[in-house]
Amino acid sequence: MTSGEILSKIFLFSDLNKYELNKLSSLMSEKVYKKGENILIQNDKGDSLYVILEGKVKVVLYGEKGREIILSILEDGDFFGEMALLDEDVRSAYVITLERTRVLVLPREVFLEWLYGHPAFTVKLLKYLSKRLRQADGIISNLSLLDAYGRVARFIIDLVKKEGRDIGNEFVIDNRPTHNVIASQIGTTRETVTRSINDFIKRGIIRQSGRMLFVKKNFIQSELSK
């Protein structure tokens, strides 16, 4: 599959025609990063947009005592690095690979020229950024209004919406995140996440098998009704 064909399957570029896709892909370079490698470093100068072709990364901040706060986890088809290109400021967070990751890199000059010359592309980018802003608002609301138990429940619901497969009276997550990852994303400790998960298991509303997480549909419905 060519780079242009790959781009056509990514939301941001899906409306471009074949000529535009091939032209844009010809202006991008490909890079491969090993697991645990920094792609972006907070406060570095931002000069490129990154599109994930294959792999998974985490967008993180670090507290004064080194505590990791995961802002989001991005996978195939997601992109990052656009903020520093638009406001000409430094990188706002670290982006670190969770597994071997292959990306396409679009330089800032090409990115801005493409925005100016393709209004429909620009509108789609704005819609995508608005979606991210709404997600950030939701995270802030959860941190402000929910206790730790409620935040774990909300995390599971959001995970089901994003990755869940319907298998009857349950949803299944094929590759559940670790308790450390959950804790870093919802602003609590691993021990608190573990206690909450164990309580959900005892109540029979979730179960685990290896890396798989099974969530009862009535749990989703009851939590959404609160």
mmCIF file of all heavy atoms in Angstrom, residues 144-178:
data_model
loop_
_atom_site.group_PDB
_atom_site.id
_atom_site.type_symbol
_atom_site.label_atom_id
_atom_site.label_comp_id
_atom_site.label_asym_id
_atom_site.label_seq_id
_atom_site.Cartn_x
_atom_site.Cartn_y
_atom_site.Cartn_z
ATOM 1 N N SER A 144 -12.999 17.081 38.196
ATOM 2 C CA SER A 144 -13.551 18.054 39.135
ATOM 3 C C SER A 144 -14.762 17.519 39.892
ATOM 4 O O SER A 144 -14.940 17.818 41.077
ATOM 5 C CB SER A 144 -13.957 19.332 38.390
ATOM 6 O OG SER A 144 -12.864 19.901 37.715
ATOM 7 N N LEU A 145 -15.604 16.720 39.218
ATOM 8 C CA LEU A 145 -16.899 16.368 39.776
ATOM 9 C C LEU A 145 -17.011 14.939 40.293
ATOM 10 O O LEU A 145 -17.892 14.641 41.104
ATOM 11 C CB LEU A 145 -17.991 16.594 38.707
ATOM 12 C CG LEU A 145 -18.091 18.022 38.149
ATOM 13 C CD1 LEU A 145 -19.138 18.085 37.045
ATOM 14 C CD2 LEU A 145 -18.428 19.011 39.257
ATOM 15 N N LEU A 146 -16.138 14.038 39.832
ATOM 16 C CA LEU A 146 -16.262 12.634 40.217
ATOM 17 C C LEU A 146 -15.191 12.239 41.225
ATOM 18 O O LEU A 146 -14.058 12.732 41.167
ATOM 19 C CB LEU A 146 -16.134 11.730 38.982
ATOM 20 C CG LEU A 146 -17.189 11.908 37.880
ATOM 21 C CD1 LEU A 146 -16.852 10.994 36.707
ATOM 22 C CD2 LEU A 146 -18.587 11.611 38.394
ATOM 23 N N ASP A 147 -15.558 11.336 42.147
ATOM 24 C CA ASP A 147 -14.540 10.782 43.029
ATOM 25 C C ASP A 147 -13.733 9.749 42.248
ATOM 26 O O ASP A 147 -14.016 9.463 41.083
ATOM 27 C CB ASP A 147 -15.176 10.176 44.276
ATOM 28 C CG ASP A 147 -16.166 9.050 43.973
ATOM 29 O OD1 ASP A 147 -16.149 8.526 42.829
ATOM 30 O OD2 ASP A 147 -16.948 8.706 44.863
ATOM 31 N N ALA A 148 -12.704 9.189 42.885
ATOM 32 C CA ALA A 148 -11.811 8.272 42.177
ATOM 33 C C ALA A 148 -12.559 7.061 41.638
ATOM 34 O O ALA A 148 -12.320 6.610 40.514
ATOM 35 C CB ALA A 148 -10.676 7.831 43.104
ATOM 36 N N TYR A 149 -13.501 6.529 42.436
ATOM 37 C CA TYR A 149 -14.290 5.376 42.014
ATOM 38 C C TYR A 149 -15.080 5.719 40.747
ATOM 39 O O TYR A 149 -15.134 4.952 39.793
ATOM 40 C CB TYR A 149 -15.238 4.986 43.148
ATOM 41 C CG TYR A 149 -16.046 3.727 42.922
ATOM 42 C CD1 TYR A 149 -15.568 2.491 43.343
ATOM 43 C CD2 TYR A 149 -17.299 3.774 42.317
ATOM 44 C CE1 TYR A 149 -16.315 1.341 43.164
ATOM 45 C CE2 TYR A 149 -18.048 2.632 42.125
ATOM 46 C CZ TYR A 149 -17.558 1.427 42.552
ATOM 47 O OH TYR A 149 -18.291 0.288 42.365
ATOM 48 N N GLY A 150 -15.686 6.895 40.762
ATOM 49 C CA GLY A 150 -16.469 7.332 39.612
ATOM 50 C C GLY A 150 -15.608 7.555 38.386
ATOM 51 O O GLY A 150 -16.035 7.294 37.258
ATOM 52 N N ARG A 151 -14.377 8.036 38.588
ATOM 53 C CA ARG A 151 -13.482 8.268 37.454
ATOM 54 C C ARG A 151 -13.040 6.961 36.812
ATOM 55 O O ARG A 151 -12.890 6.888 35.595
ATOM 56 C CB ARG A 151 -12.268 9.102 37.897
ATOM 57 C CG ARG A 151 -12.638 10.498 38.371
ATOM 58 C CD ARG A 151 -11.478 11.470 38.280
ATOM 59 N NE ARG A 151 -10.367 11.137 39.146
ATOM 60 C CZ ARG A 151 -10.243 11.524 40.412
ATOM 61 N NH1 ARG A 151 -11.211 12.237 40.985
ATOM 62 N NH2 ARG A 151 -9.179 11.206 41.133
ATOM 63 N N VAL A 152 -12.843 5.928 37.640
ATOM 64 C CA VAL A 152 -12.507 4.612 37.085
ATOM 65 C C VAL A 152 -13.684 4.089 36.250
ATOM 66 O O VAL A 152 -13.504 3.582 35.138
ATOM 67 C CB VAL A 152 -12.150 3.606 38.193
ATOM 68 C CG1 VAL A 152 -11.952 2.206 37.601
ATOM 69 C CG2 VAL A 152 -10.891 4.039 38.934
ATOM 70 N N ALA A 153 -14.894 4.233 36.793
ATOM 71 C CA ALA A 153 -16.088 3.797 36.065
ATOM 72 C C ALA A 153 -16.219 4.543 34.747
ATOM 73 O O ALA A 153 -16.498 3.952 33.697
ATOM 74 C CB ALA A 153 -17.339 4.003 36.924
ATOM 75 N N ARG A 154 -16.020 5.860 34.776
ATOM 76 C CA ARG A 154 -16.119 6.661 33.554
ATOM 77 C C ARG A 154 -15.044 6.273 32.559
ATOM 78 O O ARG A 154 -15.287 6.228 31.343
ATOM 79 C CB ARG A 154 -16.023 8.147 33.913
ATOM 80 C CG ARG A 154 -16.022 9.095 32.722
ATOM 81 C CD ARG A 154 -17.222 8.932 31.837
ATOM 82 N NE ARG A 154 -18.466 9.185 32.545
ATOM 83 C CZ ARG A 154 -19.656 9.147 31.957
ATOM 84 N NH1 ARG A 154 -19.760 8.857 30.681
ATOM 85 N NH2 ARG A 154 -20.748 9.377 32.659
ATOM 86 N N PHE A 155 -13.839 5.963 33.028
ATOM 87 C CA PHE A 155 -12.761 5.536 32.138
ATOM 88 C C PHE A 155 -13.155 4.260 31.402
ATOM 89 O O PHE A 155 -12.942 4.130 30.198
ATOM 90 C CB PHE A 155 -11.472 5.306 32.927
ATOM 91 C CG PHE A 155 -10.309 4.862 32.073
ATOM 92 C CD1 PHE A 155 -9.462 5.788 31.513
ATOM 93 C CD2 PHE A 155 -10.079 3.515 31.846
ATOM 94 C CE1 PHE A 155 -8.398 5.386 30.716
ATOM 95 C CE2 PHE A 155 -9.029 3.096 31.054
ATOM 96 C CZ PHE A 155 -8.183 4.041 30.484
ATOM 97 N N ILE A 156 -13.742 3.311 32.143
ATOM 98 C CA ILE A 156 -14.158 2.049 31.527
ATOM 99 C C ILE A 156 -15.224 2.296 30.474
ATOM 100 O O ILE A 156 -15.192 1.720 29.373
ATOM 101 C CB ILE A 156 -14.662 1.072 32.604
ATOM 102 C CG1 ILE A 156 -13.503 0.636 33.508
ATOM 103 C CG2 ILE A 156 -15.328 -0.148 31.963
ATOM 104 C CD1 ILE A 156 -13.924 -0.191 34.702
ATOM 105 N N ILE A 157 -16.181 3.162 30.779
ATOM 106 C CA ILE A 157 -17.245 3.482 29.815
ATOM 107 C C ILE A 157 -16.650 4.091 28.550
ATOM 108 O O ILE A 157 -17.002 3.703 27.423
ATOM 109 C CB ILE A 157 -18.267 4.438 30.448
ATOM 110 C CG1 ILE A 157 -19.065 3.720 31.535
ATOM 111 C CG2 ILE A 157 -19.221 5.005 29.389
ATOM 112 C CD1 ILE A 157 -19.958 4.623 32.345
ATOM 113 N N ASP A 158 -15.747 5.048 28.709
ATOM 114 C CA ASP A 158 -15.127 5.690 27.549
ATOM 115 C C ASP A 158 -14.307 4.695 26.742
ATOM 116 O O ASP A 158 -14.272 4.761 25.508
ATOM 117 C CB ASP A 158 -14.236 6.857 28.002
ATOM 118 C CG ASP A 158 -15.044 8.025 28.555
ATOM 119 O OD1 ASP A 158 -16.268 8.090 28.277
ATOM 120 O OD2 ASP A 158 -14.470 8.855 29.283
ATOM 121 N N LEU A 159 -13.662 3.755 27.430
ATOM 122 C CA LEU A 159 -12.875 2.732 26.744
ATOM 123 C C LEU A 159 -13.788 1.817 25.936
ATOM 124 O O LEU A 159 -13.458 1.445 24.796
ATOM 125 C CB LEU A 159 -12.079 1.925 27.770
ATOM 126 C CG LEU A 159 -11.015 0.969 27.221
ATOM 127 C CD1 LEU A 159 -9.930 1.741 26.484
ATOM 128 C CD2 LEU A 159 -10.403 0.156 28.359
ATOM 129 N N VAL A 160 -14.931 1.468 26.505
ATOM 130 C CA VAL A 160 -15.909 0.634 25.783
ATOM 131 C C VAL A 160 -16.395 1.350 24.531
ATOM 132 O O VAL A 160 -16.508 0.758 23.453
ATOM 133 C CB VAL A 160 -17.088 0.263 26.699
ATOM 134 C CG1 VAL A 160 -18.242 -0.309 25.886
ATOM 135 C CG2 VAL A 160 -16.649 -0.746 27.750
ATOM 136 N N LYS A 161 -16.688 2.644 24.655
ATOM 137 C CA LYS A 161 -17.159 3.420 23.503
ATOM 138 C C LYS A 161 -16.116 3.441 22.390
ATOM 139 O O LYS A 161 -16.457 3.390 21.206
ATOM 140 C CB LYS A 161 -17.468 4.857 23.925
ATOM 141 C CG LYS A 161 -18.714 5.005 24.785
ATOM 142 C CD LYS A 161 -18.921 6.469 25.160
ATOM 143 C CE LYS A 161 -20.155 6.671 26.001
ATOM 144 N NZ LYS A 161 -20.322 8.092 26.403
ATOM 145 N N LYS A 162 -14.847 3.498 22.775
ATOM 146 C CA LYS A 162 -13.777 3.618 21.788
ATOM 147 C C LYS A 162 -13.355 2.273 21.212
ATOM 148 O O LYS A 162 -13.137 2.152 20.000
ATOM 149 C CB LYS A 162 -12.568 4.304 22.431
ATOM 150 C CG LYS A 162 -11.412 4.544 21.479
ATOM 151 C CD LYS A 162 -10.249 5.230 22.187
ATOM 152 C CE LYS A 162 -9.078 5.453 21.239
ATOM 153 N NZ LYS A 162 -7.927 6.089 21.926
ATOM 154 N N GLU A 163 -13.252 1.244 22.059
ATOM 155 C CA GLU A 163 -12.637 -0.008 21.620
ATOM 156 C C GLU A 163 -13.508 -1.250 21.837
ATOM 157 O O GLU A 163 -13.118 -2.343 21.438
ATOM 158 C CB GLU A 163 -11.306 -0.221 22.356
ATOM 159 C CG GLU A 163 -10.294 0.888 22.157
ATOM 160 C CD GLU A 163 -8.999 0.628 22.907
ATOM 161 O OE1 GLU A 163 -8.739 -0.553 23.266
ATOM 162 O OE2 GLU A 163 -8.237 1.580 23.148
ATOM 163 N N GLY A 164 -14.659 -1.089 22.498
ATOM 164 C CA GLY A 164 -15.449 -2.247 22.873
ATOM 165 C C GLY A 164 -16.081 -2.990 21.704
ATOM 166 O O GLY A 164 -16.547 -2.375 20.742
ATOM 167 N N ARG A 165 -16.087 -4.303 21.800
ATOM 168 C CA ARG A 165 -16.795 -5.162 20.839
ATOM 169 C C ARG A 165 -18.020 -5.754 21.520
ATOM 170 O O ARG A 165 -17.931 -6.289 22.625
ATOM 171 C CB ARG A 165 -15.891 -6.297 20.348
ATOM 172 C CG ARG A 165 -14.785 -5.844 19.428
ATOM 173 C CD ARG A 165 -14.086 -7.032 18.778
ATOM 174 N NE ARG A 165 -13.365 -7.870 19.722
ATOM 175 C CZ ARG A 165 -13.711 -9.100 20.079
ATOM 176 N NH1 ARG A 165 -14.824 -9.660 19.584
ATOM 177 N NH2 ARG A 165 -12.985 -9.790 20.944
ATOM 178 N N ASP A 166 -19.149 -5.678 20.859
ATOM 179 C CA ASP A 166 -20.405 -6.202 21.393
ATOM 180 C C ASP A 166 -20.436 -7.712 21.214
ATOM 181 O O ASP A 166 -20.355 -8.221 20.093
ATOM 182 C CB ASP A 166 -21.576 -5.547 20.643
ATOM 183 C CG ASP A 166 -22.915 -5.832 21.312
ATOM 184 O OD1 ASP A 166 -23.038 -6.864 21.986
ATOM 185 O OD2 ASP A 166 -23.831 -5.014 21.127
ATOM 186 N N ILE A 167 -20.558 -8.454 22.328
ATOM 187 C CA ILE A 167 -20.609 -9.920 22.237
ATOM 188 C C ILE A 167 -21.858 -10.463 22.948
ATOM 189 O O ILE A 167 -21.837 -11.531 23.539
ATOM 190 C CB ILE A 167 -19.332 -10.568 22.817
ATOM 191 C CG1 ILE A 167 -19.121 -10.147 24.276
ATOM 192 C CG2 ILE A 167 -18.124 -10.237 21.970
ATOM 193 C CD1 ILE A 167 -18.024 -10.945 24.980
ATOM 194 N N GLY A 168 -22.935 -9.704 22.886
ATOM 195 C CA GLY A 168 -24.176 -10.165 23.516
ATOM 196 C C GLY A 168 -24.532 -9.305 24.701
ATOM 197 O O GLY A 168 -24.914 -8.148 24.552
ATOM 198 N N ASN A 169 -24.407 -9.882 25.897
ATOM 199 C CA ASN A 169 -24.728 -9.093 27.092
ATOM 200 C C ASN A 169 -23.488 -8.415 27.695
ATOM 201 O O ASN A 169 -23.543 -7.871 28.791
ATOM 202 C CB ASN A 169 -25.392 -9.974 28.155
ATOM 203 C CG ASN A 169 -24.450 -11.041 28.690
ATOM 204 O OD1 ASN A 169 -23.445 -11.360 28.054
ATOM 205 N ND2 ASN A 169 -24.773 -11.590 29.842
ATOM 206 N N GLU A 170 -22.391 -8.454 26.953
ATOM 207 C CA GLU A 170 -21.154 -7.828 27.398
ATOM 208 C C GLU A 170 -20.470 -7.103 26.239
ATOM 209 O O GLU A 170 -20.749 -7.367 25.065
ATOM 210 C CB GLU A 170 -20.169 -8.877 27.941
ATOM 211 C CG GLU A 170 -20.581 -9.565 29.213
ATOM 212 C CD GLU A 170 -19.560 -10.608 29.623
ATOM 213 O OE1 GLU A 170 -19.146 -11.414 28.748
ATOM 214 O OE2 GLU A 170 -19.163 -10.620 30.793
ATOM 215 N N PHE A 171 -19.583 -6.196 26.619
ATOM 216 C CA PHE A 171 -18.611 -5.636 25.683
ATOM 217 C C PHE A 171 -17.247 -6.187 26.074
ATOM 218 O O PHE A 171 -16.977 -6.399 27.259
ATOM 219 C CB PHE A 171 -18.582 -4.113 25.761
ATOM 220 C CG PHE A 171 -19.841 -3.441 25.282
ATOM 221 C CD1 PHE A 171 -20.769 -2.970 26.197
ATOM 222 C CD2 PHE A 171 -20.087 -3.288 23.925
ATOM 223 C CE1 PHE A 171 -21.923 -2.346 25.767
ATOM 224 C CE2 PHE A 171 -21.246 -2.667 23.488
ATOM 225 C CZ PHE A 171 -22.168 -2.195 24.402
ATOM 226 N N VAL A 172 -16.385 -6.391 25.095
ATOM 227 C CA VAL A 172 -15.050 -6.892 25.392
ATOM 228 C C VAL A 172 -14.010 -5.909 24.863
ATOM 229 O O VAL A 172 -14.128 -5.393 23.752
ATOM 230 C CB VAL A 172 -14.811 -8.307 24.815
ATOM 231 C CG1 VAL A 172 -14.964 -8.327 23.302
ATOM 232 C CG2 VAL A 172 -13.427 -8.821 25.219
ATOM 233 N N ILE A 173 -13.017 -5.629 25.699
ATOM 234 C CA ILE A 173 -11.836 -4.855 25.313
ATOM 235 C C ILE A 173 -10.710 -5.856 25.134
ATOM 236 O O ILE A 173 -10.352 -6.572 26.071
ATOM 237 C CB ILE A 173 -11.449 -3.829 26.398
ATOM 238 C CG1 ILE A 173 -12.642 -2.952 26.776
ATOM 239 C CG2 ILE A 173 -10.269 -2.995 25.941
ATOM 240 C CD1 ILE A 173 -13.181 -2.108 25.669
ATOM 241 N N ASP A 174 -10.125 -5.927 23.948
ATOM 242 C CA ASP A 174 -9.135 -6.960 23.664
ATOM 243 C C ASP A 174 -7.795 -6.723 24.346
ATOM 244 O O ASP A 174 -7.089 -7.671 24.679
ATOM 245 C CB ASP A 174 -8.926 -7.075 22.152
ATOM 246 C CG ASP A 174 -10.155 -7.640 21.445
ATOM 247 O OD1 ASP A 174 -10.698 -8.647 21.932
ATOM 248 O OD2 ASP A 174 -10.569 -7.064 20.428
ATOM 249 N N ASN A 175 -7.435 -5.473 24.539
ATOM 250 C CA ASN A 175 -6.127 -5.174 25.127
ATOM 251 C C ASN A 175 -6.306 -4.101 26.193
ATOM 252 O O ASN A 175 -6.080 -2.922 25.966
ATOM 253 C CB ASN A 175 -5.157 -4.702 24.039
ATOM 254 C CG ASN A 175 -3.734 -4.577 24.545
ATOM 255 O OD1 ASN A 175 -3.360 -5.190 25.544
ATOM 256 N ND2 ASN A 175 -2.941 -3.764 23.867
ATOM 257 N N ARG A 176 -6.708 -4.525 27.385
ATOM 258 C CA ARG A 176 -7.023 -3.570 28.446
ATOM 259 C C ARG A 176 -5.758 -2.866 28.931
ATOM 260 O O ARG A 176 -4.676 -3.455 28.986
ATOM 261 C CB ARG A 176 -7.697 -4.275 29.629
ATOM 262 C CG ARG A 176 -6.859 -5.349 30.293
ATOM 263 C CD ARG A 176 -7.612 -6.009 31.443
ATOM 264 N NE ARG A 176 -6.857 -7.122 32.006
ATOM 265 C CZ ARG A 176 -5.903 -6.976 32.914
ATOM 266 N NH1 ARG A 176 -5.585 -5.774 33.360
ATOM 267 N NH2 ARG A 176 -5.256 -8.028 33.393
ATOM 268 N N PRO A 177 -5.865 -1.596 29.296
ATOM 269 C CA PRO A 177 -4.698 -0.874 29.815
ATOM 270 C C PRO A 177 -4.343 -1.349 31.219
ATOM 271 O O PRO A 177 -5.192 -1.875 31.945
ATOM 272 C CB PRO A 177 -5.159 0.586 29.825
ATOM 273 C CG PRO A 177 -6.647 0.503 29.908
ATOM 274 C CD PRO A 177 -7.042 -0.740 29.175
ATOM 275 N N THR A 178 -3.113 -1.150 31.607
ATOM 276 C CA THR A 178 -2.675 -1.513 32.950
ATOM 277 C C THR A 178 -3.279 -0.548 33.966
ATOM 278 O O THR A 178 -3.720 0.551 33.627
ATOM 279 C CB THR A 178 -1.148 -1.462 33.072
ATOM 280 O OG1 THR A 178 -0.719 -0.102 32.920
ATOM 281 C CG2 THR A 178 -0.486 -2.325 32.004
#
